[in-house]
Amino acid sequence: MGKFLSSDSAFKIISIMVALVLWMYVMNEQNPQVTYVVRDVPIRMENLDKDKFALKDSSQTYTVNVRVRGRRSLITNLKPNDIDAVVNLRGRMEGDNLLPLSVNVPNNIELVDFSPKEILVSLDAIIEEQMPVTVEITGTPAGGYAYQSPTVKPSAVVVKGPRTMVNAVKKVMAQADVGGKSRTFTSILPLRVLNGQGQDQKDIEFRPDVVEVTVPIIPVSTVSITPVVSGSPAEGFVVTNISSEPSSIVVTGDRDVLNRLSTVQSETLDINGYTRDITREVKIVFPEGIQALDEKQTTIKVTVEIEKLESRTYNFSPDEIIVQGLADNLRATILNKDTDVVLTINGPESVIDRLNRSMIKLLVDVSGLSEGEHQVKIQAEISAPYNIINIEPNVTAIRIDSLD
């Protein structure tokens, strides 16, 4: 035993054992086993059939917190991406799926625990839907021209993507600029697929991505509409106003005809015997070769306002009569100085009380009359809506003398 302990082999063995003990001491004191929680480890989705399904919310991130044990030197350098956290999506269905989580850690590191053990993953089915293409017109055609509804080829596109994303699509559109155009044009235009906020919808595909758009550009003119009325209201009533809604219309047709056209008429509205306002829808009568720009605009509403007539009488002295047509070398004298002229005037009851003497003019016309006495007709003038219905007397005696 003594010889063995004194031998070189024994010395080497003892040295190795001492070194091992020292290494274990150093490892436990300087690089001990520690437990650590790695937070927000990203979870990887595998075996998703992308031809059939997609994540309902592609922006959502899934993470797991992982508890591990190992030497401090290894744990210190451990990052979330060094840990593989996986859920298997093979065989899953559209909707919510509660899936078990699998976690793998690097060599020489022990997996202690992780949370959560399961995650809820929502899947959308990949669908295709055919949607119509609309055309948004921008700009203004050249003066005297307008655009009509454009035609699109093809008129629809196929939109493909997750169901939620496809259902969020509100419009598939192309944009055509008609600024300064004076003739029909055709353009190949790119498409935009928009959501309810007018933004490009994400995570979808569509085909085709361009369409052929033809925009008809036609000559136009804005003309007034003249309502045509026949007949008269009942006795003692009067028409105070005739109007139409709309009062003008944009028409199209041959340019030469448009250049000569300023108004179109309505069909005739008979108001015979009416005692109150009347409103009727009547057709517009277009000249041959002319039609409304809006093909649906074929009628107007005509309103005829009817009021009861009331009358007033006014007395005028002969001195208030104006003499017209008298030669420069002659003088006229009204002889019936003591006889007033009585005027009876009527008008709509809504305005009759606004009538006053200053609105009335009495006159006689002596054009061509020579010297001497004459019986001359008395005339009266008044503006609408008033009417002179009687003048009493309607003649007066006038003497014309020479100024020489």
Side-chain angles (χ1 to χ4, degrees):
M1 183 67 176
K3 290 181 178 181
F4 174 75
L5 293 174
S6 63
S7 68
D8 289 341
S9 296
F11 179 76
K12 291 178 180 180
I13 291 171
I14 292 171
S15 297
I16 291 171
M17 292 177 65
V18 171
L20 182 60
V21 170
L22 288 173
W23 178 82
M24 292 177 65
Y25 170 78
V26 170
M27 288 297 292
N28 284 322
E29 290 296 325
Q30 302 299 320
N31 189 22
Q33 291 272 353
V34 294
T35 299
Y36 181 70
V37 176
V38 182
R39 300 188 180 280
D40 298 326
V41 174
I43 298 174
R44 180 168 55 87
M45 309 288 175
E46 68 176 11
N47 297 322
L48 175 64
D49 188 346
K50 294 184 177 180
D51 292 331
K52 294 182 178 180
F53 299 102
L55 294 177
K56 197 166 191 177
D57 184 358
S58 60
S59 65
Q60 183 176 355
T61 58
Y62 297 89
T63 60
V64 60
N65 297 327
V66 179
R67 183 182 296 273
V68 294
R69 180 183 296 117
R71 293 294 176 184
R72 178 184 292 166
S73 60
L74 297 176
I75 295 297
T76 300
N77 296 322
L78 190 63
K79 297 180 178 59
N81 287 334
D82 295 331
I83 300 174
D84 188 24
V86 181
V87 291
N88 187 356
L89 296 174
R90 178 176 283 116
R92 305 305 173 182
M93 302 300 292
E94 183 178 17
D96 293 336
N97 297 267
L98 189 61
L99 305 176
L101 187 61
S102 173
V103 177
N104 295 299
V105 296
N107 294 333
N108 300 320
I109 293 178
E110 177 188 355
L111 174 63
V112 177
D113 195 10
F114 58 88
S115 177
K117 298 292 191 300
E118 298 174 319
I119 61 171
L120 189 66
V121 178
S122 296
L123 297 181
D124 254 354
I126 301 297
I127 64 170
E128 291 186 353
E129 187 170 330
Q130 193 173 64
M131 296 185 177
V133 177
T134 61
V135 179
E136 181 181 283
I137 301 295
T138 62
T140 303
Y145 291 87
Y147 65 86
Q148 287 184 309
S149 298
T151 58
V152 185
K153 295 181 182 178
S155 60
V157 300
V158 175
V159 179
K160 180 180 179 181
R163 187 187 304 277
T164 299
M165 298 302 173
V166 172
N167 289 343
V169 173
K170 298 303 179 185
K171 181 165 61 175
V172 180
M173 61 157 284
Q175 194 172 73
D177 183 9
V178 300
K181 301 290 186 182
S182 59
R183 63 180 61 185
T184 298
F185 67 95
T186 299
S187 299
I188 303 299
L189 300 174
L191 288 173
R192 294 182 66 193
V193 179
L194 306 179
N195 58 25
Q197 288 72 47
Q199 300 171 336
D200 292 305
Q201 180 59 42
K202 62 180 182 179
D203 298 335
I204 54 96
E205 301 172 359
F206 53 94
R207 62 182 190 275
D209 59 357
V210 295
V211 289
E212 179 185 279
V213 177
T214 299
V215 184
I217 305 294
I218 57 176
V220 295
S221 179
T222 300
V223 297
S224 62
I225 302 174
T226 302
V228 178
V229 174
S230 67
S232 300
E235 186 176 352
F237 291 83
V238 65
V239 173
T240 57
N241 188 51
I242 301 174
S243 62
S244 70
E245 178 60 38
S247 60
S248 63
I249 187 171
V250 179
V251 295
T252 184
D254 182 82
R255 170 54 71 187
D256 292 336
V257 178
L258 289 176
N259 289 339
R260 297 191 301 269
L261 191 66
S262 60
T263 187
V264 293
Q265 294 184 336
S266 72
E267 288 187 342
T268 301
L269 175 61
D270 184 8
I271 62 168
N272 199 49
Y274 277 87
T275 60
R276 58 184 178 183
D277 296 351
I278 174 175
T279 299
R280 293 287 186 273
E281 186 169 312
V282 297
K283 290 183 178 179
I284 304 170
V285 180
F286 295 102
E288 185 175 354
I290 298 295
Q291 64 183 36
L293 177 63
D294 180 355
E295 296 178 355
K296 297 179 181 178
Q297 191 175 4
T298 59
T299 63
I300 58 171
K301 284 186 177 180
V302 174
T303 298
V304 180
E305 298 176 33
I306 298 173
E307 286 192 43
K308 186 178 180 180
L309 288 172
E310 289 193 3
S311 62
R312 297 288 187 271
T313 58
Y314 291 89
N315 287 25
F316 290 84
S317 71
D319 293 335
E320 294 178 276
I321 299 175
I322 300 170
V323 178
Q324 291 183 338
L326 186 65
D328 292 341
N329 63 336
L330 297 176
R331 177 178 62 240
T333 304
I334 296 177
L335 301 178
N336 304 54
K337 293 291 187 180
D338 297 330
T339 304
D340 284 352
V341 179
V342 181
L343 268 62
T344 304
I345 302 170
N346 70 11
E349 61 181 351
S350 62
V351 296
I352 192 66
D353 289 334
R354 301 178 194 170
L355 181 63
N356 60 69
R357 294 172 58 88
S358 65
M359 301 165 64
I360 305 166
K361 182 190 293 185
L362 277 184
L363 56 90
V364 291
D365 188 358
V366 297
S367 300
L369 297 182
S370 59
E371 295 180 44
E373 292 187 5
H374 304 274
Q375 293 291 318
V376 183
K377 185 178 180 179
I378 301 174
Q379 303 174 51
E381 294 180 355
I382 192 169
S383 59
Y386 306 104
N387 296 290
I388 307 295
I389 59 175
N390 190 49
I391 303 175
E392 184 63 37
N394 62 357
V395 294
T396 187
I398 289 184
R399 187 179 65 244
I400 299 177
D401 300 309
S402 173
L403 295 176
D404 298 334

Coordinates of all heavy atoms in Angstrom, one line a residue, residues 210-267:
V210 N -56.5 45.0 -63.7 CA -56.8 46.2 -64.5 C -58.1 45.9 -65.3 O -58.5 44.7 -65.5 CB -55.7 46.5 -65.5 CG1 -54.4 47.0 -64.7 CG2 -55.4 45.3 -66.4
V211 N -58.8 47.0 -65.7 CA -60.0 46.8 -66.5 C -60.0 47.9 -67.7 O -59.2 48.8 -67.6 CB -61.3 47.0 -65.7 CG1 -61.5 45.9 -64.7 CG2 -61.2 48.4 -64.9
E212 N -60.8 47.6 -68.7 CA -61.0 48.5 -69.8 C -62.2 49.3 -69.5 O -63.3 48.8 -69.4 CB -61.1 47.7 -71.1 CG -61.3 48.6 -72.3 CD -61.5 47.8 -73.6 OE1 -60.5 47.4 -74.2 OE2 -62.7 47.7 -74.0
V213 N -62.0 50.7 -69.5 CA -63.1 51.6 -69.2 C -63.4 52.5 -70.4 O -62.4 53.1 -70.9 CB -62.8 52.4 -67.9 CG1 -64.0 53.4 -67.7 CG2 -62.7 51.5 -66.7
T214 N -64.6 52.5 -70.8 CA -65.0 53.4 -71.9 C -66.0 54.5 -71.3 O -67.0 54.1 -70.7 CB -65.7 52.7 -73.0 OG1 -64.8 51.7 -73.6 CG2 -66.1 53.7 -74.1
V215 N -65.7 55.8 -71.5 CA -66.5 56.8 -70.9 C -67.1 57.6 -72.1 O -66.3 58.3 -72.8 CB -65.7 57.8 -70.0 CG1 -66.6 58.8 -69.4 CG2 -65.0 57.0 -68.9
P216 N -68.4 57.6 -72.3 CA -69.0 58.4 -73.4 C -69.0 59.9 -73.0 O -69.4 60.2 -72.0 CB -70.4 57.8 -73.5 CG -70.4 56.5 -72.7 CD -69.4 56.7 -71.7
I217 N -68.5 60.7 -73.9 CA -68.5 62.2 -73.8 C -69.4 62.7 -74.9 O -69.2 62.5 -76.1 CB -67.1 62.8 -73.9 CG1 -66.1 62.1 -72.9 CG2 -67.2 64.3 -73.7 CD1 -66.4 62.4 -71.5
I218 N -70.5 63.5 -74.5 CA -71.5 63.9 -75.4 C -71.7 65.4 -75.3 O -71.5 66.0 -74.2 CB -72.8 63.1 -75.2 CG1 -73.3 63.3 -73.7 CG2 -72.7 61.7 -75.5 CD1 -74.6 62.7 -73.5
P219 N -72.2 66.1 -76.4 CA -72.5 67.5 -76.3 C -73.8 67.7 -75.4 O -74.7 66.9 -75.5 CB -72.7 67.9 -77.7 CG -73.1 66.6 -78.4 CD -72.4 65.5 -77.7
V220 N -73.8 68.8 -74.7 CA -75.0 69.1 -73.8 C -75.3 70.6 -73.8 O -74.4 71.4 -74.2 CB -74.8 68.6 -72.3 CG1 -74.7 67.1 -72.3 CG2 -73.6 69.3 -71.7
S221 N -76.5 70.9 -73.3 CA -76.9 72.3 -73.1 C -77.9 72.4 -72.0 O -78.7 71.5 -71.9 CB -77.4 72.9 -74.4 OG -77.8 74.2 -74.3
T222 N -77.8 73.4 -71.2 CA -78.8 73.6 -70.2 C -79.9 74.6 -70.7 O -79.5 75.7 -71.1 CB -78.2 74.2 -68.9 OG1 -77.2 73.3 -68.4 CG2 -79.3 74.4 -67.9
V223 N -81.1 74.2 -70.8 CA -82.2 75.0 -71.3 C -83.3 75.2 -70.3 O -83.4 74.3 -69.4 CB -82.8 74.4 -72.6 CG1 -81.8 74.3 -73.7 CG2 -83.4 73.0 -72.3
S224 N -84.1 76.2 -70.4 CA -85.2 76.4 -69.5 C -86.3 75.6 -69.9 O -86.4 75.1 -71.0 CB -85.6 77.9 -69.5 OG -86.0 78.3 -70.8
I225 N -87.3 75.4 -68.9 CA -88.5 74.6 -69.2 C -89.7 75.6 -69.1 O -89.8 76.3 -68.1 CB -88.7 73.5 -68.2 CG1 -87.5 72.5 -68.2 CG2 -90.0 72.7 -68.5 CD1 -87.5 71.4 -67.2
T226 N -90.5 75.6 -70.1 CA -91.6 76.5 -70.2 C -92.9 75.7 -69.9 O -93.3 74.9 -70.8 CB -91.7 77.3 -71.5 OG1 -90.5 78.0 -71.7 CG2 -92.9 78.2 -71.5
P227 N -93.6 75.9 -68.8 CA -94.8 75.2 -68.6 C -95.9 75.7 -69.5 O -96.0 77.0 -69.6 CB -95.1 75.5 -67.1 CG -93.9 76.0 -66.5 CD -93.2 76.7 -67.6
V228 N -96.7 74.9 -70.1 CA -97.8 75.3 -71.0 C -99.1 75.0 -70.3 O -99.4 73.9 -69.8 CB -97.7 74.5 -72.3 CG1 -98.9 74.9 -73.2 CG2 -96.4 74.7 -73.0
V229 N -99.9 76.1 -70.2 CA -101.2 76.1 -69.5 C -102.3 76.5 -70.4 O -102.1 77.5 -71.2 CB -101.1 76.9 -68.2 CG1 -102.5 77.0 -67.6 CG2 -100.1 76.4 -67.2
S230 N -103.4 75.8 -70.4 CA -104.6 76.3 -71.2 C -105.8 76.5 -70.3 O -105.8 75.9 -69.1 CB -104.9 75.2 -72.2 OG -105.4 74.0 -71.6
G231 N -106.8 77.2 -70.8 CA -108.0 77.5 -70.0 C -107.8 78.6 -69.0 O -106.7 79.2 -68.9
S232 N -108.9 78.9 -68.3 CA -108.9 80.0 -67.3 C -109.5 79.6 -66.0 O -110.4 78.7 -66.0 CB -109.7 81.2 -67.9 OG -109.1 81.7 -69.1
P233 N -109.1 80.1 -64.9 CA -109.8 79.8 -63.6 C -111.2 80.2 -63.7 O -111.7 80.9 -64.6 CB -109.0 80.6 -62.6 CG -107.7 81.0 -63.3 CD -108.0 81.1 -64.7
A234 N -111.9 79.8 -62.7 CA -113.4 80.2 -62.5 C -113.5 81.7 -62.5 O -112.5 82.4 -62.1 CB -114.0 79.6 -61.3
E235 N -114.6 82.2 -62.8 CA -114.9 83.7 -62.8 C -114.6 84.2 -61.4 O -115.0 83.7 -60.4 CB -116.3 84.0 -63.2 CG -116.6 85.5 -63.4 CD -118.0 85.8 -63.9 OE1 -118.6 84.8 -64.3 OE2 -118.3 86.9 -63.9
G236 N -113.9 85.4 -61.3 CA -113.6 86.0 -60.1 C -112.3 85.5 -59.5 O -111.9 85.8 -58.4
F237 N -111.5 84.7 -60.3 CA -110.2 84.1 -59.8 C -109.2 84.4 -60.9 O -109.6 84.6 -62.1 CB -110.3 82.7 -59.5 CG -111.1 82.3 -58.3 CD1 -112.5 82.2 -58.4 CD2 -110.6 82.1 -57.1 CE1 -113.3 81.9 -57.3 CE2 -111.3 81.8 -56.0 CZ -112.7 81.7 -56.1
V238 N -107.9 84.4 -60.5 CA -106.9 84.8 -61.4 C -105.6 84.0 -61.2 O -105.4 83.5 -60.0 CB -106.5 86.3 -61.3 CG1 -105.9 86.6 -59.9 CG2 -105.6 86.8 -62.4
V239 N -104.9 83.7 -62.2 CA -103.6 83.0 -62.1 C -102.5 84.0 -61.7 O -102.3 85.1 -62.3 CB -103.2 82.4 -63.4 CG1 -101.7 81.8 -63.3 CG2 -104.1 81.3 -63.8
T240 N -101.9 83.8 -60.6 CA -100.9 84.7 -60.1 C -99.5 84.3 -60.4 O -98.5 85.1 -60.4 CB -101.0 84.9 -58.5 OG1 -100.9 83.6 -57.9 CG2 -102.4 85.5 -58.2
N241 N -99.3 83.0 -60.6 CA -97.9 82.5 -60.9 C -98.0 81.1 -61.5 O -98.8 80.3 -61.1 CB -97.0 82.5 -59.6 CG -95.6 82.2 -59.9 OD1 -95.0 82.9 -60.8 ND2 -95.0 81.2 -59.3
I242 N -97.0 80.8 -62.4 CA -96.9 79.5 -63.0 C -95.4 79.2 -62.9 O -94.5 79.9 -63.3 CB -97.3 79.5 -64.5 CG1 -98.8 79.9 -64.6 CG2 -97.1 78.1 -65.1 CD1 -99.2 80.0 -66.1
S243 N -95.1 78.0 -62.3 CA -93.7 77.6 -62.1 C -93.6 76.1 -62.3 O -94.6 75.4 -62.3 CB -93.2 78.0 -60.7 OG -94.0 77.3 -59.7
S244 N -92.3 75.7 -62.5 CA -92.1 74.3 -62.7 C -90.9 73.9 -61.8 O -90.0 74.7 -61.5 CB -91.8 74.0 -64.2 OG -90.5 74.5 -64.6
E245 N -90.9 72.6 -61.5 CA -89.7 72.0 -60.7 C -89.3 70.7 -61.4 O -90.1 69.8 -61.4 CB -90.2 71.8 -59.2 CG -89.1 71.1 -58.4 CD -87.9 71.9 -58.3 OE1 -88.0 73.2 -58.2 OE2 -86.8 71.3 -58.3
P246 N -88.1 70.7 -62.0 CA -87.1 71.8 -62.0 C -87.5 72.8 -63.1 O -88.4 72.6 -63.9 CB -85.9 71.1 -62.4 CG -86.3 69.9 -63.3 CD -87.6 69.5 -62.6
S247 N -86.8 74.0 -63.0 CA -87.1 75.0 -64.0 C -86.2 75.0 -65.2 O -86.4 75.7 -66.2 CB -87.0 76.4 -63.3 OG -85.7 76.6 -62.8
S248 N -85.2 74.1 -65.2 CA -84.3 74.0 -66.3 C -83.8 72.5 -66.4 O -84.0 71.7 -65.4 CB -83.0 74.9 -66.2 OG -82.3 74.5 -65.0
I249 N -83.2 72.1 -67.5 CA -82.9 70.7 -67.7 C -81.7 70.7 -68.6 O -81.5 71.6 -69.5 CB -84.0 69.9 -68.3 CG1 -83.7 68.4 -68.4 CG2 -84.4 70.5 -69.7 CD1 -84.9 67.6 -68.7
V250 N -80.8 69.7 -68.4 CA -79.6 69.5 -69.2 C -80.0 68.5 -70.3 O -80.5 67.4 -70.0 CB -78.4 69.0 -68.4 CG1 -77.2 68.7 -69.4 CG2 -78.0 69.9 -67.3
V251 N -79.9 68.9 -71.6 CA -80.3 68.0 -72.7 C -79.1 67.7 -73.6 O -78.1 68.4 -73.5 CB -81.4 68.7 -73.5 CG1 -82.7 68.8 -72.7 CG2 -81.0 70.1 -74.1
T252 N -79.2 66.7 -74.4 CA -78.2 66.3 -75.3 C -78.8 65.9 -76.6 O -80.0 65.7 -76.7 CB -77.3 65.1 -74.7 OG1 -76.2 64.9 -75.6 CG2 -78.2 63.9 -74.6
G253 N -77.9 66.0 -77.6 CA -78.4 65.6 -79.0 C -77.5 66.2 -80.0 O -76.3 66.5 -79.7
D254 N -78.0 66.4 -81.2 CA -77.2 67.0 -82.3 C -76.7 68.4 -81.9 O -77.5 69.3 -81.4 CB -78.1 67.1 -83.5 CG -77.3 67.7 -84.7 OD1 -76.6 66.9 -85.4 OD2 -77.4 68.9 -85.0
R255 N -75.4 68.7 -82.1 CA -74.8 69.9 -81.7 C -75.5 71.1 -82.4 O -75.7 72.2 -81.7 CB -73.3 69.9 -82.0 CG -72.6 71.2 -81.8 CD -72.8 71.8 -80.4 NE -72.2 71.1 -79.4 CZ -72.3 71.4 -78.1 NH1 -73.2 72.3 -77.7 NH2 -71.7 70.7 -77.2
D256 N -75.8 71.0 -83.6 CA -76.5 72.2 -84.3 C -77.8 72.5 -83.7 O -78.2 73.7 -83.5 CB -76.6 71.9 -85.8 CG -75.3 71.8 -86.5 OD1 -74.3 72.4 -86.0 OD2 -75.2 71.2 -87.6
V257 N -78.6 71.4 -83.4 CA -79.9 71.7 -82.7 C -79.7 72.3 -81.4 O -80.4 73.2 -81.0 CB -80.7 70.3 -82.7 CG1 -82.0 70.6 -82.0 CG2 -80.9 69.8 -84.0
L258 N -78.8 71.8 -80.6 CA -78.5 72.3 -79.3 C -78.2 73.8 -79.3 O -78.6 74.6 -78.5 CB -77.4 71.5 -78.6 CG -77.7 70.1 -78.1 CD1 -76.4 69.4 -77.6 CD2 -78.8 70.1 -77.1
N259 N -77.4 74.2 -80.3 CA -77.0 75.6 -80.4 C -78.1 76.5 -80.6 O -78.1 77.7 -80.3 CB -76.0 75.8 -81.5 CG -74.6 75.1 -81.2 OD1 -74.3 74.9 -80.0 ND2 -73.8 74.8 -82.2
R260 N -79.2 76.0 -81.2 CA -80.4 76.9 -81.5 C -81.5 76.8 -80.4 O -82.4 77.5 -80.4 CB -81.1 76.5 -82.8 CG -80.2 76.7 -84.0 CD -80.9 76.5 -85.3 NE -81.6 75.2 -85.4 CZ -81.0 74.2 -86.0 NH1 -79.7 74.3 -86.5 NH2 -81.6 73.0 -86.1
L261 N -81.3 75.8 -79.5 CA -82.3 75.5 -78.5 C -82.1 76.3 -77.2 O -81.0 76.3 -76.6 CB -82.3 74.0 -78.2 CG -83.5 73.5 -77.4 CD1 -84.8 73.6 -78.2 CD2 -83.2 72.0 -77.0
S262 N -83.1 77.0 -76.7 CA -83.0 77.8 -75.5 C -84.0 77.3 -74.4 O -83.8 77.5 -73.2 CB -83.2 79.3 -75.7 OG -84.5 79.5 -76.3
T263 N -85.1 76.7 -74.9 CA -86.1 76.2 -73.9 C -86.9 75.0 -74.5 O -86.9 74.8 -75.7 CB -87.1 77.3 -73.6 OG1 -88.0 76.9 -72.6 CG2 -87.9 77.7 -74.9
V264 N -87.4 74.2 -73.6 CA -88.3 73.1 -74.0 C -89.6 73.3 -73.3 O -89.6 74.0 -72.2 CB -87.7 71.7 -73.7 CG1 -86.5 71.4 -74.6 CG2 -87.4 71.6 -72.2
Q265 N -90.7 72.8 -73.8 CA -92.0 73.0 -73.2 C -92.5 71.7 -72.5 O -92.0 70.6 -72.8 CB -93.0 73.5 -74.3 CG -92.7 74.8 -74.9 CD -93.8 75.3 -75.9 OE1 -94.5 74.4 -76.4 NE2 -93.9 76.6 -76.1
S266 N -93.5 72.0 -71.7 CA -94.2 70.8 -71.1 C -95.5 70.5 -71.9 O -95.9 71.3 -72.7 CB -94.6 71.2 -69.6 OG -95.7 72.1 -69.6
E267 N -96.0 69.3 -71.6 CA -97.4 69.1 -72.1 C -98.3 70.1 -71.5 O -98.1 70.6 -70.5 CB -97.8 67.6 -71.8 CG -97.0 66.6 -72.6 CD -97.6 65.2 -72.4 OE1 -98.3 65.0 -71.4 OE2 -97.3 64.3 -73.3

